[in-house]
Each structure stands twice: as structure tokens, then as C-alpha cells.
Amino acid sequence: MEGENVIRPATPADAPGVARVHVDSWRETYRGIVPEDFLNSLSYGRREQMWRGGLENPNWQGVLFVAEDLLEGVVGFVAGGPPQEPLGGFTSELWAIYLLQKHQGKGLGRGLFLKFAGEMAARGHASMFLWVLAENPATGFYERMGGVRVREREIEVGGKKLLEYAYGWRDLGMRGW
Ligand SMILES: CC(C)(COP(=O)(O)OP(=O)(O)OC[C@H]1O[C@@H](n2cnc3c(N)ncnc32)[C@H](O)[C@@H]1OP(=O)(O)O)[C@@H](O)C(=O)NCCC(=O)NCCS
């Protein structure tokens, strides 16, 4: 039944699956970019606690959708909500979008992205942005989704300085996601 996927809102029971994808996809994506020690130190348990904390909190302002493979369980997710730090008047932020490598390139990223953007528009947000490492090929995906590079900054991950780009989308409500 390969290829049977659904995209749906996450529940607290998804916390372990989201945590697994989060850590595994970080390791697949950032090996060679982010220091190895930092990637090795990532923990399924800590990520699970973090996501469960949000999903179980009725006042959580975040939004989390999972991509579920009918045989494998959670294989990807998208999350976001209020900006973690303000940026240029954008009212919402996509915090994270991750798919396991073997499930990339089949349209699931677009599905997750459009679901999230549509949800932000439905909640009355006119705009959204996200941060991505400059070295991450996902910059090309965000450009394909209509994002415009609006800012850059330097961050430190595991003791290494890295360049990040912010991509922004305006007029969310006008686009008919
Ligand atoms: C980035 C990511 C979410 C994209 O999802 P995906 O399922 O691989 O992408 P899709 O198959 O939905 O592609 C949608 C479109 O974007 C294009 N695209 C996808 N990745 C691209 C890339 N790196 N560069 C340029 N275009 C890209 C596809 O060709 C497709 O184009 P089309 O409209 O002509 O068909 C996914 O590859 C991923 O999880 N990567 C690893 C984790 C990561 O880097 N996350 C972002 C952290 S900021």
C-alpha cells in the first residue's frame, strides 16, 4: 500500500511519531551542515515531551499537521503559529516542516505546506514567514511555494556559526490556498 498517505491534524497520541520524524529528519538533513555532536545529542524523549506539551495544552497557540503513511505511521509534519520572534510585521510563523527522506519528492511537502498556509489564512493571518538554513536545499522548495527572501541572520548551532534566511508570504487570505 505504498503511497497511501493522509494529512490530518495531530493529536497527543502522535507525539512519539512526530518526535521520531523530527530527530531522524534533522539527522538526514543537517549531516555535514550542523556539527555531528549536536545531531547525536538530539533526543526522541525530549522532542516527544515538547510536542506532547503543546498538543495536550488546550490553550496552545500552535498548529500541527502530520502526514501519515497507512503502514509506517507518521512520516512528516508541519508546525507553526505565532512568531517566536517578531519579523517585519508578519503575523504567523511556520516553525518546522520535516519529512523522512524516503517520503520526500512525492508531493507530501506541498500538501503539508498548503494545509498549514490555508489554516493560517482561515485563522485570519494575512502573512507568514519561516527561517531556513542558507545551505539547506529546502530554500528551493520555499521559492517554489511562492516565498520571497526577506531577511538573513547568523545563528549558532552546536558551536558553529550558520547563515539563515527568512522567507515570507503576504496576502495569505487572497491566495485561496
Ligand atoms: C523541504 C520538504 C518539506 C519539501 O517536501 P517534498 O515532499 O520533498 O516536496 P514536494 O514533492 O511536495 O515538492 C513540491 C514542489 O517543490 C519542488 N521542490 C521540492 N524540493 C525542492 C528543492 N529542494 N528545490 C527546488 N524545488 C523543490 C518540487 O520539484 C515540486 O515542484 P512542482 O511544483 O514542479 O511539482 C522536504 O523535502 C523535506 O522534508 N526536506 C528535509 C527537511 C527540511 O529541510 N525541512 C525544512 C527545514 S527549514
Side-chain angles (χ1 to χ4, degrees):
M1 294 237 296
E2 165 128 36
E4 296 269 344
N5 297 293
V6 291
I7 292 175
R8 57 166 177 79
T11 72
D14 292 313
V18 173
R20 187 178 47 81
V21 171
H22 202 168
V23 169
D24 289 352
S25 181
W26 259 70
R27 290 181 175 149
E28 288 172 346
T29 305
Y30 299 129
R31 192 140 275 150
I33 301 178
V34 165
E36 199 73 11
D37 285 353
F38 184 87
L39 294 177
N40 291 337
S41 76
L42 297 173
S43 138
Y44 295 122
R46 279 198 307 272
R47 291 289 168 177
E48 180 181 335
Q49 246 182 0
M50 184 190 96
W51 290 114
R52 190 183 296 282
L55 290 165
E56 286 182 346
N57 175 0
N59 298 319
W60 192 47
Q61 304 219 2
V63 166
L64 178 55
F65 291 104
V66 291
E68 184 175 43
D69 178 278
L70 295 185
L71 292 177
E72 285 180 50
V74 176
V75 298
F77 70 93
V78 62
Q84 292 172 303
E85 285 173 36
L87 181 92
F90 288 94
T91 64
S92 63
E93 179 176 357
L94 190 158
W95 302 330
I97 180 166
Y98 288 97
L99 283 167
L100 295 178
Q101 206 155 49
K102 68 180 273 226
H103 292 275
Q104 293 170 16
K106 296 188 279 190
L108 273 180
R110 184 205 312 272
L112 285 166
F113 181 89
L114 295 182
K115 192 90 176 167
F116 180 79
E119 180 66 20
M120 290 300 106
R123 291 180 181 218
H125 288 290
S127 60
M128 72 174 191
F129 72 97
L130 57 81
W131 287 103
V132 55
L133 288 177
E135 290 178 61
N136 187 340
T139 49
F141 170 73
Y142 297 133
E143 282 164 21
R144 188 82 186 100
M145 296 299 112
V148 175
R149 208 205 288 178
V150 290
R151 200 70 65 87
E152 61 180 62
R153 71 180 179 190
E154 197 178 67
I155 59 160
E156 207 173 294
V157 183
K160 183 178 172 190
K161 289 197 163 86
L162 294 166
L163 184 64
E164 271 195 323
Y165 295 144
Y167 281 86
W169 288 257
R170 297 203 185 268
D171 305 322
L172 276 189
M174 311 289 287
R175 294 185 187 217
W177 302 96

